[in-house]
Amino acid sequence: GENLRLSSGTASFNEGSVIDVETLNLSGSIRNAFANFDGTVTAQTINQTGGTLGGAGTVTTEPFNWEHESRLLKAGEVIVTDQLNIGGPSWPPKYLDGKTLTLQGNGVWSGDGDIYSYYGATWNNGVTATLDLQGDGNFDWRNTGDYATFNNEGTLIKRVGVGEDNHSYFDAALNNSGTVDVQAGVLSLGGGGNNIGSFTAQNNTVLLFQDGIHTFQDSSVIDGRGTVRFNRGTSTVSGTYDVRGTTLVTGAVVNFEG
């Protein structure tokens, strides 16, 4: 395959097209550089430091390096089979705008940069995936279009941060059938969700469920020696609740049915 580079203008590939490239490099302004794929794309590597990756097709890559102000736009899916690296400065944000991002390998989200979501964006953390939160970036729905969804079938780890200032916030419906492990700082889950997996708050950490409707099915587990806080919203806990640290309920309705 060839290398494909775009830093300005528009490149469009129609439905039915099949593209195989070694490296796809996108840069430039999100308003002036568009790569629209309505067919099938396979790339060994994607480096996106700007621009907009759009279209309704399926884009599959091994590593995906996603940095600086850049956008994933419209329907379609980006599948990362190996390594997802999310970095760059704290401002401006990145945008997951109506597209589905699926991680099948390992992911590291470093730094404090946020990802803004719009129009029913979906982020899938697959059964073989581990997403490691090594900073305090937020997955932030911007009140435009349908609410965002984060489906965790694998492992979601909050690894870096000390105290309540080191806070990662997911403003999305988080459906957990895998493992959520808070090892440092605060992880706040702000959009409800349906859960059959496990949540652990390690010592000196905070796991915060707030707003929305959080449902924890019979097979779910919430445990750990940290703090689990329910703040606003409604939570129904039908599974195992074995928090050895602190449980706080502030302005929430919590039904323990296990």
Side-chain angles (χ1 to χ4, degrees), residues 128-145:
T128 58
T130 297
L131 179 60
D132 192 344
L133 307 179
Q134 295 191 3
D136 297 318
N138 302 312
F139 185 41
D140 189 3
W141 180 60
R142 302 302 289 176
N143 297 300
T144 302

Side-chain angles (χ1 to χ4, degrees), residues 109-194:
W109 184 352
S110 58
D112 299 331
D114 293 343
I115 298 173
Y116 286 1
S117 69
Y118 303 83
Y119 294 106
T122 299
W123 189 341
N124 298 317
N125 200 44
V127 67
T128 58
T130 297
L131 179 60
D132 192 344
L133 307 179
Q134 295 191 3
D136 297 318
N138 302 312
F139 185 41
D140 189 3
W141 180 60
R142 302 302 289 176
N143 297 300
T144 302
D146 291 340
Y147 201 47
T149 301
F150 186 96
N151 296 312
N152 181 54
E153 296 179 292
T155 302
L156 175 64
I157 300 174
K158 168 68 172 168
R159 192 183 299 273
V160 174
V162 178
E164 295 201 8
D165 290 338
N166 292 276
H167 190 156
S168 293
Y169 176 52
F170 277 59
D171 186 10
L174 189 142
N175 303 307
N176 177 37
S177 58
T179 300
V180 175
D181 187 3
V182 187
Q183 298 184 358
V186 180
L187 177 61
S188 176
L189 307 178
N194 187 34

Side-chain angles (χ1 to χ4, degrees), residues 42-93:
T42 301
Q44 292 183 22
T45 302
I46 295 178
N47 300 309
Q48 187 174 11
T49 59
T52 294
L53 193 161
T58 299
V59 178
T60 302
T61 182
E62 294 176 15
F64 178 23
N65 301 309
W66 193 17
E67 299 184 345
H68 303 283
E69 184 182 25
S70 50
R71 178 168 58 176
L72 304 181
L73 178 66
K74 295 186 177 179
E77 184 175 15
V78 175
I79 301 172
V80 183
T81 62
D82 186 6
Q83 183 73 33
L84 172 64
N85 299 307
I86 304 172
S90 58
W91 183 264

